[in-house]
């Protein structure tokens, strides 16, 4: 490439950056955390939605939790894809293009100088009446928050965590499909309350047939005789992006991964168990319903996958 051609390319890149930075503006007199709200950036005190927003009144909307590592947003396209799939499933039109949402996420990280952290992306149905009719909501709201998160204490990642099975059943596919990452998380919250009452941070949720679906905020994996198993999506598991990443990492290492229906019996007799999620990352499980799993310590396959995942998150993603 000639020096002139290189110069033109750099100029275009710079101009593209300037256009992106000038697309949104920050409300005057606002300091501290910058939150993207419907095309504008404002401080956290000024970031407000109406009490008539159906996201508040009925949990009518969708969301994504996304991670940033080492100055990059991890699996950004995949998260935005899932956001649009969830929105389509509830007949919600996101008032931005796929690319514009991605740019808004990156710009929010940039304005908050976030290199390592957690991004919460929310799309609500918007302001409507006190009735259920979503057609009365004309302008959906798009919100991006870039901050920090720590779901579990550091000791859980080193020593493993204890979880319990709860009575709250995972949503039926023909009720509120578990594949939809909606703002209505009451099913998960009720299960979380049961876990907390039992003295645990996380719970195993079964589906209506008694098979393992997932945990309240994470997908679940077990290891048995060198094989990795995880509940199928049809059992009520979320289409987890970290779940998919772990399956791919395992395959790269030559590890067998299958998706059979699992019962509590299978969990109790596993050699290893771990949970996956964007917020949780990969966390070992060493006890379920007072049954010790394997040796009672994080197993070798779990540790290997944790190391692979950390290496991947530290080196890939959309630059901020």
């Amino acid at each position: 490439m000639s020096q002139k051609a290189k110069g033109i390319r750099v100029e275009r890149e710079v101009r593209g950056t300037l256009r992106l930075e000038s697309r949104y503006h920050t409300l005057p007199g606002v300091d501290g955390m910058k939150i993207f709200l419907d095309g504008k950036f404002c401080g956290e005190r000024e970031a407000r939605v109406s009490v008539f927003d159906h996201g508040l009144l009925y949990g009518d909307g969708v969301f994504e939790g996304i991670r940033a590592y080492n100055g990059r947003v991890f699996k950004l396209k995949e998260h935005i894809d899932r956001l649009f799939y969830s929105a389509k499933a509830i007949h919600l039109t996101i008032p931005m293009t796929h690319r514009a949402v991605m740019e808004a996420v990156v710009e929010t990280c940039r304005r908050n100088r976030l290199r390592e952290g957690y991004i919460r992306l929310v799309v609500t149905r918007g302001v409507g009446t006190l009735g259920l009719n979503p057609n009365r909501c004309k302008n959906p709201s798009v919100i991006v928050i870039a901050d920090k998160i720590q779901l579990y204490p550091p000791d859980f990642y080193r020593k493993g965590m204890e979880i319990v099975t709860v009575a709250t059943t995972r949503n039926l596919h023909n009720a509120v499909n578990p594949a939809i990452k909606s703002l209505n998380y009451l099913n998960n919250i009720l299960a979380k309350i049961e876990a907390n009452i039992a003295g645990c941070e996380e719970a195993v949720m079964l589906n209506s047939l008694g098979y393992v679906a997932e945990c309240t905020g994470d997908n679940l994996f077990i290891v048995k005789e060198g094989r990795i198993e995880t509940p199928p999506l049809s059992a009520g598991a979320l289409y987890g992006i970290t779940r998919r990443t772990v399956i791919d990492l395992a395959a790269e290492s030559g590890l067998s991964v299958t998706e059979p229906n699992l019962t509590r019996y299978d969990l109790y007799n596993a050699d290893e168990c771990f949970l996956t999620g964007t917020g949780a990352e990969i966390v070992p499980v060493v006890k379920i319903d007072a049954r010790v799993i394997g040796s009672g310590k994080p197993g070798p396959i779990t540790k290997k996958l944790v190391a692979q995942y950390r290496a991947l998150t530290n080196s890939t993603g959309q630059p901020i």
Side-chain angles (χ1 to χ4, degrees):
M1 184 183 293
S2 68
Q3 291 297 322
K4 182 178 180 181
K6 287 181 180 178
I8 293 172
R9 181 177 179 181
V10 169
E11 183 180 4
R12 283 176 179 168
E13 288 176 354
V14 170
R15 286 180 178 175
T17 302
L18 290 174
R19 281 199 298 271
L20 172 61
E21 291 178 348
S22 63
R23 179 176 300 174
Y24 309 115
H25 67 274
T26 302
L27 297 180
V30 174
D31 297 317
M33 182 188 295
K34 302 297 188 293
I35 294 172
F36 179 90
L37 175 58
D38 295 335
K40 300 176 182 178
F41 283 92
C42 54
E44 53 188 298
R45 291 185 180 180
E46 288 74 25
R48 301 185 180 98
V49 295
S50 169
V51 294
F52 292 98
D53 192 307
H54 278 212
L56 170 65
L57 291 176
Y58 298 111
D60 187 357
V62 295
F63 80 97
E64 280 294 319
I66 310 169
R67 281 271 194 173
Y69 299 93
N70 194 30
R72 300 180 180 90
V73 183
F74 186 62
K75 299 287 184 181
L76 178 57
K77 180 184 181 299
E78 290 83 348
H79 279 286
I80 306 307
D81 283 345
R82 189 171 65 178
L83 180 80
F84 274 80
Y85 295 150
S86 293
K88 184 176 183 179
I90 68 169
H91 210 263
L92 170 61
T93 300
I94 297 175
M96 297 172 66
T97 65
H98 189 289
R99 180 174 180 177
V101 175
M102 290 180 64
E103 290 177 350
V105 168
V106 173
E107 182 67 12
T108 304
C109 292
R110 190 177 295 137
R111 295 205 180 201
N112 286 284
R113 297 179 175 84
L114 187 78
R115 291 182 55 80
E116 305 271 346
Y118 179 81
I119 302 107
R120 174 57 59 90
L121 172 57
V122 177
V123 182
T124 74
R125 183 75 66 177
V127 174
T129 67
L130 291 177
L132 283 171
N133 193 347
N135 293 328
R136 301 289 181 86
C137 306
K138 301 302 182 183
N139 299 300
S141 281
V142 179
I143 304 163
V144 185
I145 306 167
D147 200 5
K148 303 287 184 180
I149 193 172
Q150 182 179 311
L151 290 190
Y152 305 121
D155 267 1
F156 285 3
Y157 294 88
R158 294 193 295 268
K159 300 177 181 179
M161 69 187 299
E162 178 179 356
I163 62 178
V164 292
T165 307
V166 295
T168 300
T169 302
R170 193 70 181 101
N171 281 334
L172 298 175
H173 285 83
N174 60 349
V176 179
N177 195 311
I180 302 170
K181 200 167 177 65
S182 80
L183 296 182
N184 190 332
Y185 243 50
L186 194 56
N187 183 226
N188 309 67
I189 291 169
L190 289 172
K192 186 79 166 182
I193 289 170
E194 288 190 69
N196 292 160
I197 290 171
C200 293
E201 289 286 334
E202 188 53 281
V204 178
M205 301 180 72
L206 308 178
N207 64 22
S208 61
L209 299 176
Y211 292 117
V212 176
E214 60 178 5
C215 291
T216 67
D218 310 311
N219 291 110
L220 182 146
F221 287 78
I222 62 171
V223 179
K224 184 67 175 179
E225 298 176 351
R227 303 185 311 274
I228 301 174
E229 299 177 342
T230 189
L233 299 175
S234 59
L238 179 71
Y239 289 47
I241 290 169
T242 308
R243 175 186 184 273
R244 180 73 258 170
T245 301
V246 166
I247 290 173
D248 291 342
L249 289 173
E252 289 174 10
S253 297
L255 296 168
S256 171
V257 182
T258 58
E259 301 177 52
N261 279 315
L262 298 174
T263 66
R264 284 178 290 175
Y265 176 90
D266 299 312
L267 303 190
Y268 299 157
N269 291 288
D271 300 323
E272 302 178 37
C273 179
F274 58 90
L275 310 182
T276 65
T278 297
E281 301 173 296
I282 303 176
V283 55
V285 172
V286 295
K287 189 178 287 188
I288 304 175
D289 296 338
R291 278 81 162 180
V292 174
I293 305 303
S295 66
K297 298 179 180 179
I301 291 180
T302 301
K303 290 180 178 178
K304 178 179 176 62
L305 289 169
V306 167
Q308 288 179 280
Y309 186 75
R310 287 177 178 170
L312 182 67
T313 57
N314 194 54
S315 60
T316 62
Q318 180 71 34
I320 295 172

